[in-house]
Amino acid sequence: MLHLPTLTTARLQLRPFVLADAAQIHALASDYEIARFTSNIPHPYEEGMAERWIALHAHQFYTNQHVTLAIIAQASGNLVGTISLSTHRTNKRAELGYWVGVPYWGNGYCTEAVCAVIRYGFDVLDLHKIVARHFVSNPASGRVMQKAGMQHEAILREEVLKNGVYHDMAVYGVINPAH
Ligand SMILES: CC(C)(COP(=O)(O)OP(=O)(O)OC[C@H]1O[C@@H](n2cnc3c(N)ncnc32)[C@H](O)[C@@H]1OP(=O)(O)O)[C@@H](O)C(=O)NCCC(=O)NCCS
């Protein structure tokens, strides 16, 4: 039986969340810059939300829905962000989601984490395709997808309603090269 994994990269450890991470999630996710370009992070990020979210992860993994991991900087032990795969098992496809806390932006951390999770999705979960989408107004996320070897597939016009505004979304994908 598979368990939530721990993945190690040159500078990061991607590991299951523990309740003790809640304070760091709260501190980082409370920044409006995180809510601004994510579909599912509210602002303000209320007390208790991080704990309730962490408590879902094991069940979501064992019911084949999501793999959600903390992104930890090995050097400091700090939680720098989060990354997830939401799986659609029938089509052997998953959608990536991620954020990195503002103090840690621009260090290549997100790209490093995305590359490791794509490898895990293909090699361990035997997925056929991994997709990701970003607000067109958030080119940094698109850059992460490009650097991780994903290909631009489409623009979905006015796909997401956020703060009263409809946003265009760009879709990227990568196919398992072993399939
Ligand atoms: C998008 C995000 C995850 C990037 O994290 P990160 O660890 O800084 O990413 P990386 O350092 O691996 O790569 C960022 C790239 O975007 C580039 N970038 C940053 N701002 C940019 C901008 N305004 N326009 C174009 N590229 C930009 C960086 O230069 C870098 O590319 P480079 O290595 O070619 O120079 C982070 O900014 C974030 O969490 N934002 C808020 C939440 C979010 O957008 N989540 C993703 C939802 S799809």
Side-chain angles (χ1 to χ4, degrees), residues 37 98-100 105-106 108 110-111 133 138-141 143 147:
F37 292 126
Y98 47 74
W99 58 260
V100 164
W105 284 6
C110 192
T111 306
R133 53 174 75 192
N138 181 21
S141 185
R143 186 75 196 114
K147 288 195 293 176

Side-chain angles (χ1 to χ4, degrees), residues 73-147:
Q74 285 181 33
S76 61
N78 288 343
L79 183 138
V80 305
T82 176
I83 186 159
S84 65
L85 275 178
S86 303
T87 52
H88 192 291
R89 298 303 289 192
T90 309
N91 294 310
K92 298 183 87 169
R93 186 181 71 231
E95 177 160 351
L96 262 174
Y98 47 74
W99 58 260
V100 164
V102 176
Y104 305 105
W105 284 6
N107 293 299
Y109 286 150
C110 192
T111 306
E112 197 168 312
V114 166
C115 289
V117 167
I118 289 175
R119 273 197 304 277
Y120 167 80
F122 286 163
D123 296 349
V124 180
L125 300 182
D126 194 36
L127 293 168
H128 180 62
K129 182 176 186 183
I130 295 177
V131 298
R133 53 174 75 192
H134 71 87
F135 288 71
V136 167
S137 51
N138 181 21
S141 185
R143 186 75 196 114
V144 168
M145 294 170 197
Q146 290 161 11
K147 288 195 293 176

Side-chain angles (χ1 to χ4, degrees), residues 21-32 35 40-54:
D21 296 323
Q24 286 188 85
I25 296 173
H26 188 267
L28 295 174
S30 291
D31 193 317
Y32 178 63
N40 54 358
I41 298 197
H43 190 80
Y45 195 88
E46 286 164 9
E47 289 294 336
M49 268 180 182
E51 287 84 348
R52 287 196 293 277
W53 180 67
I54 291 168

